[in-house]
Amino acid sequence: MKIRALIWVALILTVSTAYATNVLIKNVLVYDGTGKKPFKADVRIQADRIVAIGKNLSPAAGEPVRDERGWALAPGFIDMHSHHDQGIFDDLNAEVVTRQGVTTVFVGQDGESNFPLNDFFAHLEKTPAAINFASMVGHATMREQVMGKDLYRASTPEELAKMQELLGRELDAGAFGISTGLEYEKGHFATTEELVGLSRVAAARGGFYISHVRDEENGVFNSFDEIIRIGREAKVPVEISHIKLASPGVWHMAKTKMPALFEKAHTEGVDLKADVYPYTYWHSTLRVLVTDRDFFNPEKVRRGIEDNGGAANLMIPKYTPEPAMAGKTLEQIAAAWKVTPVEAYMRMIKATESEIAGGEEQEEVIGTSMSEDDVKWFVTSPRTMFCSDGALHGAHPRGAGAFPRVLGRYVREQHALPLETAVHKMTMMAAEQLALKDRGRIEKGYIADLVVFDPATVIDESTIQHPQAAPKGISDVMVSGERVVMEGNVTGAHPGKVIRHAASR
Ligand SMILES: [Zn+2]
């Protein structure tokens, strides 16, 4: 009887400490998020906080100890542009996110946010996921609320006033500012004045403006001028989403044009930053090729295809009207249909027209349109943070690989930037952009969002063929002190929080 009782006690203890809320982490190299050189230390976690960092901390009676064999310990990574909220309630483990060491995703991007945010946040608090969520308010989401389906025009002053009021309410729910997707149809027809008018509401609450800019191709530098103007006139910090120079006409210009651009912003008193994903190919809808919606104008379609690297460089991972076409390039599809790429494009737009109205038929495109030297420039710039732009079950490998890809390919293989700098950009720099007071650093009193990885082996494994493949070299991930990944295995713990903007707390 006595032995049986002891077994029960042991069993209960094992279960309650399985994901280790209190733990002493020994033998790690601490990259603390500040960007300074790593140091050897032990780190003590109690409940959801870091309570001690020091050399040779001795375990208290009964305190679980984990020896991390000299691997790196960093704050959990923050994904500054994510679509991992879509379908989250069917995939609360968000394995593609946690396995990368990402503990917080910043959603509500490209002009689209969950509406109303209060409902989304309440749902997340009732049914938490493995990861933390922070959100922007989507510009197109507000346009739809106020303008209905009549979105392909500028707003009237009355509509703008309504959107401003609605934006204020959404910000009060805990959002960090406003996001726009100006290359997408729902946002494209907004004037710069509309964007300034809305950004002022965000500025008044200490928020910021983030944007998938109006043109990422030949007109990209005009788009960057527009975002600086919005920052200047609305007196709001601005961030360029997934920054890229996405057409051959502007390739190789990061090195020559970007320093002057950041300097111009600085001179004008604008806090300009950007986020970037480390891939030379993008993933979107075919509609972005013709930004003014004139989809059946052959000359504009021809130019759109050319500006995006040509039909041979546009891969269609999804085309529901004819699933057999998935995985082929636009050039191959045109050949299969015995038409020109311009005609094939128009046929695909026509067949998926209902998608915009929430219909069944869908298309997606992956474009190989960036140059590696530009990506590398953006990855290393002190003005950028990192993002995946990914989704839980997306066709682009970035959703499961962006962060380990930076650590493995850009830090270790190419020596493009020091590991402590990459970690800083993934953690503290992002936390400061969001004005988070207790995340993004390994510091006494901070929330224990943490990742353990091996700098010598960490690498992304996701590819276009296997976009969800797990990365290598990341062993343990903690969210609020609870292990969501333990020794490379997903635990099923769901300690994720809603992170609200300080002004609304
Ligand atoms: Zn985007």
Side-chain angles (χ1 to χ4, degrees):
M1 196 65 201
K2 224 173 182 177
I3 285 178
R4 215 150 143 193
L6 273 173
I7 289 170
W8 272 113
V9 168
L11 212 62
I12 288 161
L13 276 175
T14 314
V15 170
S16 63
T17 59
Y19 310 137
T21 41
N22 288 2
V23 66
L24 180 60
I25 303 172
K26 302 279 285 181
N27 195 13
V28 281
L29 201 52
V30 176
Y31 289 80
D32 69 0
T34 63
K36 75 178 184 199
K37 291 270 175 218
F39 54 92
K40 279 188 177 163
D42 301 335
V43 176
R44 172 167 284 134
I45 314 294
Q46 278 175 10
D48 63 344
R49 302 268 166 178
I50 298 163
V51 298
I53 305 158
K55 288 222 187 291
N56 304 315
L57 299 181
S58 3
E63 184 179 32
V65 175
R66 287 189 62 85
D67 186 313
E68 295 290 5
R69 60 214 176 275
W71 283 22
L73 180 75
F77 306 142
I78 300 174
D79 183 343
M80 286 301 281
H81 182 109
S82 152
H83 302 286
H84 291 108
D85 53 329
Q86 292 161 20
I88 187 65
F89 295 109
D90 299 319
D91 183 9
L92 293 168
N93 287 341
E95 186 174 326
V96 294
V97 179
T98 59
R99 282 186 183 279
Q100 292 187 64
V102 170
T103 52
T104 298
V105 293
F106 190 30
V107 302
Q109 303 288 344
D110 289 328
E112 307 255 5
S113 57
N114 293 280
F115 185 86
L117 269 177
N118 258 333
D119 288 2
F120 176 60
F121 289 165
H123 194 175
L124 270 176
E125 283 173 337
K126 196 165 162 241
T127 317
I131 51 173
N132 305 315
F133 282 87
S135 184
M136 281 298 208
V137 181
H139 166 235
T141 302
M142 282 176 301
R143 286 190 123 225
E144 282 182 306
Q145 289 301 318
V146 171
M147 297 163 67
K149 293 199 184 302
D150 187 14
L151 300 171
Y152 312 123
R153 60 174 176 83
S155 59
T156 65
E158 294 73 35
E159 287 164 340
L160 177 58
K162 278 188 194 159
M163 284 194 274
Q164 285 172 319
E165 195 203 317
L166 186 57
L167 171 60
R169 269 188 275 148
E170 289 296 272
L171 288 168
D172 290 343
F176 289 76
I178 176 173
S179 82
T180 61
L182 302 181
E183 209 164 24
Y184 297 110
E185 298 159 84
K186 294 176 188 174
H188 187 70
F189 294 87
T191 60
T192 308
E193 290 73 19
E194 175 180 323
L195 305 173
V196 169
L198 289 166
S199 295
R200 284 195 178 121
V201 177
R205 285 169 169 82
F208 68 106
Y209 173 88
I210 198 163
S211 179
H212 174 146
V213 296
R214 212 176 275 280
D215 183 343
E216 295 186 319
E217 289 78 37
N218 283 347
V220 67
F221 292 106
N222 295 333
S223 301
F224 293 167
D225 285 341
E226 183 184 32
I227 198 172
I228 292 174
R229 180 183 156 200
I230 291 164
R232 186 180 66 235
E233 293 186 9
K235 296 188 172 54
V236 71
V238 293
E239 180 174 333
I240 299 167
S241 294
H242 44 60
I243 192 166
K244 62 176 80 81
L245 306 176
S247 59
V250 290
W251 279 356
H252 316 302
M253 288 190 181
K255 198 167 77 181
T256 49
K257 294 255 191 178
M258 290 310 297
L261 193 92
F262 283 119
E263 187 55 38
K264 175 185 148 155
H266 180 74
T267 309
E268 296 181 13
V270 176
D271 176 357
L272 171 67
K273 294 194 185 79
D275 52 72
V276 61
Y277 58 74
Y279 296 85
T280 51
Y281 45 98
W282 49 266
H283 175 214
S284 194
T285 149
L286 279 167
R287 291 177 164 76
V288 300
L289 269 54
V290 181
T291 45
D292 66 357
R293 304 188 78 241
D294 201 0
F295 301 124
F296 302 102
N297 177 324
E299 177 48 28
K300 287 185 184 171
V301 172
R302 190 196 60 75
R303 209 180 321 134
I305 292 171
E306 191 184 295
D307 284 353
N308 285 281
N313 283 316
L314 294 166
M315 203 273 268
I316 311 300
K318 184 178 197 178
Y319 182 63
T320 57
E322 213 176 317
M325 293 299 132
K328 295 187 193 305
T329 65
L330 182 59
E331 189 177 70
Q332 289 167 332
I333 293 173
W337 289 346
K338 300 188 171 52
V339 297
T340 66
V342 170
E343 288 163 338
Y345 174 90
M346 292 182 188
R347 182 158 150 188
M348 295 171 87
I349 295 288
K350 188 89 199 148
T352 55
E353 241 168 4
S354 64
E355 185 175 3
I356 286 297
E360 292 287 292
E361 302 296 6
Q362 293 176 351
E363 48 74 23
E364 291 176 3
V365 59
I366 288 178
T368 308
S369 71
M370 278 180 274
S371 109
E372 179 59 35
D373 57 314
D374 290 329
V375 173
K376 198 163 167 176
W377 194 92
F378 290 126
V379 163
T380 58
S381 165
R383 303 298 296 173
T384 64
M385 294 156 282
F386 294 112
C387 74
S388 69
D389 197 8
L392 291 171
H393 303 280
H396 193 298
R398 65 196 178 195
F403 286 76
R405 187 176 177 87
V406 170
L407 300 173
R409 298 184 197 275
Y410 290 90
V411 173
R412 185 178 63 248
E413 291 178 1
Q414 301 180 30
H415 305 285
L417 71 172
L419 181 52
E420 58 270 22
T421 307
V423 168
H424 170 70
K425 284 149 64 75
M426 290 174 179
T427 58
M428 180 176 158
M429 184 175 173
E432 285 188 335
Q433 181 76 342
L434 300 175
L436 306 181
K437 296 282 176 251
D438 53 6
R439 288 177 208 269
R441 286 174 65 180
I442 297 183
E443 177 78 42
K444 200 175 154 183
Y446 273 57
I447 301 277
D449 289 348
L450 297 165
V451 52
V452 176
F453 65 95
D454 178 11
T457 59
V458 62
I459 198 88
D460 60 305
E461 295 270 280
S462 52
T463 59
I464 290 180
Q465 290 72 32
H466 302 284
Q468 270 83 52
K472 275 191 184 146
I474 297 175
S475 64
D476 290 78
V477 181
M478 266 171 273
V479 173
S480 290
E482 269 191 68
R483 265 162 223 277
V484 294
V485 176
M486 180 153 60
E487 286 161 18
N489 298 309
V490 172
T491 65
H494 297 151
K497 301 275 187 299
V498 173
I499 301 179
R500 291 179 174 81
H501 185 235
S504 69
R505 275 176 224 151

